mmCIF file with all atom_site columns, all heavy atoms in Angstrom:
data_model
loop_
_atom_site.group_PDB
_atom_site.id
_atom_site.type_symbol
_atom_site.label_atom_id
_atom_site.label_alt_id
_atom_site.label_comp_id
_atom_site.label_asym_id
_atom_site.label_entity_id
_atom_site.label_seq_id
_atom_site.pdbx_PDB_ins_code
_atom_site.Cartn_x
_atom_site.Cartn_y
_atom_site.Cartn_z
_atom_site.occupancy
_atom_site.B_iso_or_equiv
_atom_site.pdbx_formal_charge
_atom_site.auth_seq_id
_atom_site.auth_comp_id
_atom_site.auth_asym_id
_atom_site.auth_atom_id
_atom_site.pdbx_PDB_model_num
ATOM 1   N N   . LYS A 1 14 ? 21.803 113.641 -46.840 1.00 92.00 ? 14 LYS A N   1
ATOM 2   C CA  . LYS A 1 14 ? 22.278 115.014 -47.038 1.00 92.00 ? 14 LYS A CA  1
ATOM 3   C C   . LYS A 1 14 ? 21.650 115.952 -46.008 1.00 92.00 ? 14 LYS A C   1
ATOM 4   O O   . LYS A 1 14 ? 22.299 116.877 -45.513 1.00 92.00 ? 14 LYS A O   1
ATOM 5   C CB  . LYS A 1 14 ? 21.968 115.488 -48.453 1.00 92.00 ? 14 LYS A CB  1
ATOM 6   C CG  . LYS A 1 14 ? 22.608 116.804 -48.796 1.00 92.00 ? 14 LYS A CG  1
ATOM 7   C CD  . LYS A 1 14 ? 22.425 117.150 -50.250 1.00 92.00 ? 14 LYS A CD  1
ATOM 8   C CE  . LYS A 1 14 ? 23.170 118.428 -50.587 1.00 92.00 ? 14 LYS A CE  1
ATOM 9   N NZ  . LYS A 1 14 ? 23.073 118.773 -51.985 1.00 92.00 ? 14 LYS A NZ  1
ATOM 10  N N   . LYS A 1 15 ? 20.389 115.709 -45.638 1.00 91.00 ? 15 LYS A N   1
ATOM 11  C CA  . LYS A 1 15 ? 19.722 116.538 -44.632 1.00 91.00 ? 15 LYS A CA  1
ATOM 12  C C   . LYS A 1 15 ? 20.361 116.366 -43.250 1.00 91.00 ? 15 LYS A C   1
ATOM 13  O O   . LYS A 1 15 ? 20.311 117.271 -42.431 1.00 91.00 ? 15 LYS A O   1
ATOM 14  C CB  . LYS A 1 15 ? 18.230 116.208 -44.575 1.00 91.00 ? 15 LYS A CB  1
ATOM 15  C CG  . LYS A 1 15 ? 17.483 116.614 -45.837 1.00 91.00 ? 15 LYS A CG  1
ATOM 16  C CD  . LYS A 1 15 ? 16.011 116.388 -45.679 1.00 91.00 ? 15 LYS A CD  1
ATOM 17  C CE  . LYS A 1 15 ? 15.430 117.740 -45.450 1.00 91.00 ? 15 LYS A CE  1
ATOM 18  N NZ  . LYS A 1 15 ? 14.041 117.874 -45.334 1.00 91.00 ? 15 LYS A NZ  1
ATOM 19  N N   . PHE A 1 16 ? 20.972 115.212 -43.003 1.00 88.00 ? 16 PHE A N   1
ATOM 20  C CA  . PHE A 1 16 ? 21.642 114.969 -41.734 1.00 88.00 ? 16 PHE A CA  1
ATOM 21  C C   . PHE A 1 16 ? 22.970 115.713 -41.639 1.00 88.00 ? 16 PHE A C   1
ATOM 22  O O   . PHE A 1 16 ? 23.527 115.865 -40.562 1.00 88.00 ? 16 PHE A O   1
ATOM 23  C CB  . PHE A 1 16 ? 21.903 113.468 -41.539 1.00 88.00 ? 16 PHE A CB  1
ATOM 24  C CG  . PHE A 1 16 ? 20.798 112.743 -40.837 1.00 88.00 ? 16 PHE A CG  1
ATOM 25  C CD1 . PHE A 1 16 ? 19.690 112.307 -41.534 1.00 88.00 ? 16 PHE A CD1 1
ATOM 26  C CD2 . PHE A 1 16 ? 20.876 112.488 -39.478 1.00 88.00 ? 16 PHE A CD2 1
ATOM 27  C CE1 . PHE A 1 16 ? 18.669 111.629 -40.892 1.00 88.00 ? 16 PHE A CE1 1
ATOM 28  C CE2 . PHE A 1 16 ? 19.863 111.822 -38.826 1.00 88.00 ? 16 PHE A CE2 1
ATOM 29  C CZ  . PHE A 1 16 ? 18.757 111.391 -39.530 1.00 88.00 ? 16 PHE A CZ  1
ATOM 30  N N   . GLU A 1 17 ? 23.486 116.180 -42.760 1.00 91.00 ? 17 GLU A N   1
ATOM 31  C CA  . GLU A 1 17 ? 24.798 116.833 -42.820 1.00 91.00 ? 17 GLU A CA  1
ATOM 32  C C   . GLU A 1 17 ? 24.947 117.934 -41.773 1.00 91.00 ? 17 GLU A C   1
ATOM 33  O O   . GLU A 1 17 ? 25.987 118.048 -41.125 1.00 91.00 ? 17 GLU A O   1
ATOM 34  C CB  . GLU A 1 17 ? 25.013 117.408 -44.220 1.00 91.00 ? 17 GLU A CB  1
ATOM 35  C CG  . GLU A 1 17 ? 26.337 118.093 -44.418 1.00 91.00 ? 17 GLU A CG  1
ATOM 36  C CD  . GLU A 1 17 ? 27.475 117.164 -44.760 1.00 91.00 ? 17 GLU A CD  1
ATOM 37  O OE1 . GLU A 1 17 ? 27.213 115.996 -45.091 1.00 91.00 ? 17 GLU A OE1 1
ATOM 38  O OE2 . GLU A 1 17 ? 28.625 117.606 -44.689 1.00 91.00 ? 17 GLU A OE2 1
ATOM 39  N N   . ARG A 1 18 ? 23.930 118.725 -41.564 1.00 91.00 ? 18 ARG A N   1
ATOM 40  C CA  . ARG A 1 18 ? 24.039 119.861 -40.634 1.00 91.00 ? 18 ARG A CA  1
ATOM 41  C C   . ARG A 1 18 ? 24.173 119.423 -39.179 1.00 91.00 ? 18 ARG A C   1
ATOM 42  O O   . ARG A 1 18 ? 24.568 120.207 -38.324 1.00 91.00 ? 18 ARG A O   1
ATOM 43  C CB  . ARG A 1 18 ? 22.855 120.808 -40.794 1.00 91.00 ? 18 ARG A CB  1
ATOM 44  C CG  . ARG A 1 18 ? 21.533 120.209 -40.409 1.00 91.00 ? 18 ARG A CG  1
ATOM 45  C CD  . ARG A 1 18 ? 20.403 121.177 -40.713 1.00 91.00 ? 18 ARG A CD  1
ATOM 46  N NE  . ARG A 1 18 ? 19.132 120.548 -40.471 1.00 91.00 ? 18 ARG A NE  1
ATOM 47  C CZ  . ARG A 1 18 ? 18.122 121.145 -39.873 1.00 91.00 ? 18 ARG A CZ  1
ATOM 48  N NH1 . ARG A 1 18 ? 18.229 122.396 -39.510 1.00 91.00 ? 18 ARG A NH1 1
ATOM 49  N NH2 . ARG A 1 18 ? 16.998 120.515 -39.674 1.00 91.00 ? 18 ARG A NH2 1
ATOM 50  N N   . PHE A 1 19 ? 23.857 118.174 -38.880 1.00 88.00 ? 19 PHE A N   1
ATOM 51  C CA  . PHE A 1 19 ? 23.973 117.669 -37.519 1.00 88.00 ? 19 PHE A CA  1
ATOM 52  C C   . PHE A 1 19 ? 25.307 116.972 -37.260 1.00 88.00 ? 19 PHE A C   1
ATOM 53  O O   . PHE A 1 19 ? 25.565 116.535 -36.148 1.00 88.00 ? 19 PHE A O   1
ATOM 54  C CB  . PHE A 1 19 ? 22.822 116.698 -37.208 1.00 88.00 ? 19 PHE A CB  1
ATOM 55  C CG  . PHE A 1 19 ? 21.474 117.328 -37.343 1.00 88.00 ? 19 PHE A CG  1
ATOM 56  C CD1 . PHE A 1 19 ? 20.639 116.977 -38.395 1.00 88.00 ? 19 PHE A CD1 1
ATOM 57  C CD2 . PHE A 1 19 ? 21.028 118.270 -36.425 1.00 88.00 ? 19 PHE A CD2 1
ATOM 58  C CE1 . PHE A 1 19 ? 19.385 117.552 -38.534 1.00 88.00 ? 19 PHE A CE1 1
ATOM 59  C CE2 . PHE A 1 19 ? 19.780 118.859 -36.553 1.00 88.00 ? 19 PHE A CE2 1
ATOM 60  C CZ  . PHE A 1 19 ? 18.959 118.497 -37.604 1.00 88.00 ? 19 PHE A CZ  1
ATOM 61  N N   . ILE A 1 20 ? 26.119 116.849 -38.279 1.00 90.00 ? 20 ILE A N   1
ATOM 62  C CA  . ILE A 1 20 ? 27.403 116.150 -38.153 1.00 90.00 ? 20 ILE A CA  1
ATOM 63  C C   . ILE A 1 20 ? 28.483 117.155 -37.764 1.00 90.00 ? 20 ILE A C   1
ATOM 64  O O   . ILE A 1 20 ? 28.645 118.188 -38.408 1.00 90.00 ? 20 ILE A O   1
ATOM 65  C CB  . ILE A 1 20 ? 27.775 115.443 -39.472 1.00 90.00 ? 20 ILE A CB  1
ATOM 66  C CG1 . ILE A 1 20 ? 26.684 114.435 -39.864 1.00 90.00 ? 20 ILE A CG1 1
ATOM 67  C CG2 . ILE A 1 20 ? 29.123 114.744 -39.340 1.00 90.00 ? 20 ILE A CG2 1
ATOM 68  C CD1 . ILE A 1 20 ? 26.874 113.845 -41.254 1.00 90.00 ? 20 ILE A CD1 1
ATOM 69  N N   . ASP A 1 21 ? 29.212 116.846 -36.728 1.00 90.00 ? 21 ASP A N   1
ATOM 70  C CA  . ASP A 1 21 ? 30.300 117.692 -36.247 1.00 90.00 ? 21 ASP A CA  1
ATOM 71  C C   . ASP A 1 21 ? 31.346 117.885 -37.351 1.00 90.00 ? 21 ASP A C   1
ATOM 72  O O   . ASP A 1 21 ? 31.615 116.969 -38.129 1.00 90.00 ? 21 ASP A O   1
ATOM 73  C CB  . ASP A 1 21 ? 30.939 117.010 -35.030 1.00 90.00 ? 21 ASP A CB  1
ATOM 74  C CG  . ASP A 1 21 ? 32.046 117.828 -34.428 1.00 90.00 ? 21 ASP A CG  1
ATOM 75  O OD1 . ASP A 1 21 ? 31.739 118.760 -33.678 1.00 90.00 ? 21 ASP A OD1 1
ATOM 76  O OD2 . ASP A 1 21 ? 33.216 117.530 -34.729 1.00 90.00 ? 21 ASP A OD2 1
ATOM 77  N N   . ASN A 1 22 ? 31.921 119.077 -37.411 1.00 94.00 ? 22 ASN A N   1
ATOM 78  C CA  . ASN A 1 22 ? 32.898 119.391 -38.463 1.00 94.00 ? 22 ASN A CA  1
ATOM 79  C C   . ASN A 1 22 ? 34.097 118.452 -38.465 1.00 94.00 ? 22 ASN A C   1
ATOM 80  O O   . ASN A 1 22 ? 34.620 118.117 -39.535 1.00 94.00 ? 22 ASN A O   1
ATOM 81  C CB  . ASN A 1 22 ? 33.356 120.845 -38.346 1.00 94.00 ? 22 ASN A CB  1
ATOM 82  C CG  . ASN A 1 22 ? 32.284 121.802 -38.799 1.00 94.00 ? 22 ASN A CG  1
ATOM 83  O OD1 . ASN A 1 22 ? 31.432 121.483 -39.619 1.00 94.00 ? 22 ASN A OD1 1
ATOM 84  N ND2 . ASN A 1 22 ? 32.303 123.003 -38.241 1.00 94.00 ? 22 ASN A ND2 1
ATOM 85  N N   . ASP A 1 23 ? 34.558 118.033 -37.298 1.00 93.00 ? 23 ASP A N   1
ATOM 86  C CA  . ASP A 1 23 ? 35.680 117.087 -37.248 1.00 93.00 ? 23 ASP A CA  1
ATOM 87  C C   . ASP A 1 23 ? 35.302 115.753 -37.894 1.00 93.00 ? 23 ASP A C   1
ATOM 88  O O   . ASP A 1 23 ? 36.109 115.135 -38.590 1.00 93.00 ? 23 ASP A O   1
ATOM 89  C CB  . ASP A 1 23 ? 36.136 116.849 -35.804 1.00 93.00 ? 23 ASP A CB  1
ATOM 90  C CG  . ASP A 1 23 ? 36.845 118.050 -35.205 1.00 93.00 ? 23 ASP A CG  1
ATOM 91  O OD1 . ASP A 1 23 ? 37.354 118.906 -35.981 1.00 93.00 ? 23 ASP A OD1 1
ATOM 92  O OD2 . ASP A 1 23 ? 36.906 118.147 -33.967 1.00 93.00 ? 23 ASP A OD2 1
ATOM 93  N N   . PHE A 1 24 ? 34.072 115.313 -37.653 1.00 92.00 ? 24 PHE A N   1
ATOM 94  C CA  . PHE A 1 24 ? 33.618 114.063 -38.268 1.00 92.00 ? 24 PHE A CA  1
ATOM 95  C C   . PHE A 1 24 ? 33.459 114.217 -39.785 1.00 92.00 ? 24 PHE A C   1
ATOM 96  O O   . PHE A 1 24 ? 33.758 113.303 -40.549 1.00 92.00 ? 24 PHE A O   1
ATOM 97  C CB  . PHE A 1 24 ? 32.311 113.575 -37.640 1.00 92.00 ? 24 PHE A CB  1
ATOM 98  C CG  . PHE A 1 24 ? 32.464 113.138 -36.213 1.00 92.00 ? 24 PHE A CG  1
ATOM 99  C CD1 . PHE A 1 24 ? 31.600 113.601 -35.239 1.00 92.00 ? 24 PHE A CD1 1
ATOM 100 C CD2 . PHE A 1 24 ? 33.472 112.273 -35.823 1.00 92.00 ? 24 PHE A CD2 1
ATOM 101 C CE1 . PHE A 1 24 ? 31.732 113.213 -33.923 1.00 92.00 ? 24 PHE A CE1 1
ATOM 102 C CE2 . PHE A 1 24 ? 33.622 111.875 -34.508 1.00 92.00 ? 24 PHE A CE2 1
ATOM 103 C CZ  . PHE A 1 24 ? 32.745 112.347 -33.549 1.00 92.00 ? 24 PHE A CZ  1
ATOM 104 N N   . LYS A 1 25 ? 32.972 115.374 -40.190 1.00 95.00 ? 25 LYS A N   1
ATOM 105 C CA  . LYS A 1 25 ? 32.862 115.631 -41.634 1.00 95.00 ? 25 LYS A CA  1
ATOM 106 C C   . LYS A 1 25 ? 34.228 115.578 -42.287 1.00 95.00 ? 25 LYS A C   1
ATOM 107 O O   . LYS A 1 25 ? 34.390 114.981 -43.364 1.00 95.00 ? 25 LYS A O   1
ATOM 108 C CB  . LYS A 1 25 ? 32.219 116.996 -41.895 1.00 95.00 ? 25 LYS A CB  1
ATOM 109 C CG  . LYS A 1 25 ? 30.749 117.063 -41.636 1.00 95.00 ? 25 LYS A CG  1
ATOM 110 C CD  . LYS A 1 25 ? 30.247 118.446 -42.014 1.00 95.00 ? 25 LYS A CD  1
ATOM 111 C CE  . LYS A 1 25 ? 29.056 118.835 -41.198 1.00 95.00 ? 25 LYS A CE  1
ATOM 112 N NZ  . LYS A 1 25 ? 28.578 120.177 -41.475 1.00 95.00 ? 25 LYS A NZ  1
ATOM 113 N N   . ALA A 1 26 ? 35.217 116.218 -41.651 1.00 96.00 ? 26 ALA A N   1
ATOM 114 C CA  . ALA A 1 26 ? 36.578 116.205 -42.198 1.00 96.00 ? 26 ALA A CA  1
ATOM 115 C C   . ALA A 1 26 ? 37.107 114.774 -42.291 1.00 96.00 ? 26 ALA A C   1
ATOM 116 O O   . ALA A 1 26 ? 37.745 114.401 -43.287 1.00 96.00 ? 26 ALA A O   1
ATOM 117 C CB  . ALA A 1 26 ? 37.496 117.066 -41.328 1.00 96.00 ? 26 ALA A CB  1
ATOM 118 N N   . GLU A 1 27 ? 36.816 113.971 -41.277 1.00 94.00 ? 27 GLU A N   1
ATOM 119 C CA  . GLU A 1 27 ? 37.249 112.573 -41.292 1.00 94.00 ? 27 GLU A CA  1
ATOM 120 C C   . GLU A 1 27 ? 36.566 111.801 -42.428 1.00 94.00 ? 27 GLU A C   1
ATOM 121 O O   . GLU A 1 27 ? 37.214 111.026 -43.138 1.00 94.00 ? 27 GLU A O   1
ATOM 122 C CB  . GLU A 1 27 ? 36.939 111.924 -39.951 1.00 94.00 ? 27 GLU A CB  1
ATOM 123 C CG  . GLU A 1 27 ? 37.457 110.505 -39.833 1.00 94.00 ? 27 GLU A CG  1
ATOM 124 C CD  . GLU A 1 27 ? 37.236 109.910 -38.454 1.00 94.00 ? 27 GLU A CD  1
ATOM 125 O OE1 . GLU A 1 27 ? 37.041 110.672 -37.481 1.00 94.00 ? 27 GLU A OE1 1
ATOM 126 O OE2 . GLU A 1 27 ? 37.258 108.678 -38.361 1.00 94.00 ? 27 GLU A OE2 1
ATOM 127 N N   . MET A 1 28 ? 35.276 112.029 -42.604 1.00 93.00 ? 28 MET A N   1
ATOM 128 C CA  . MET A 1 28 ? 34.564 111.341 -43.689 1.00 93.00 ? 28 MET A CA  1
ATOM 129 C C   . MET A 1 28 ? 35.092 111.776 -45.051 1.00 93.00 ? 28 MET A C   1
ATOM 130 O O   . MET A 1 28 ? 35.225 110.957 -45.965 1.00 93.00 ? 28 MET A O   1
ATOM 131 C CB  . MET A 1 28 ? 33.048 111.588 -43.588 1.00 93.00 ? 28 MET A CB  1
ATOM 132 C CG  . MET A 1 28 ? 32.409 110.886 -42.411 1.00 93.00 ? 28 MET A CG  1
ATOM 133 S SD  . MET A 1 28 ? 30.597 110.909 -42.422 1.00 93.00 ? 28 MET A SD  1
ATOM 134 C CE  . MET A 1 28 ? 30.238 112.642 -42.385 1.00 93.00 ? 28 MET A CE  1
#
Side-chain angles (χ1 to χ4, degrees):
K14 189 173 184 178
K15 293 185 104 177
F16 270 83
E17 181 84 13
R18 65 185 174 138
F19 301 109
I20 301 172
D21 182 80
N22 287 333
D23 289 338
F24 293 131
K25 286 183 209 177
E27 185 175 340
M28 290 190 300

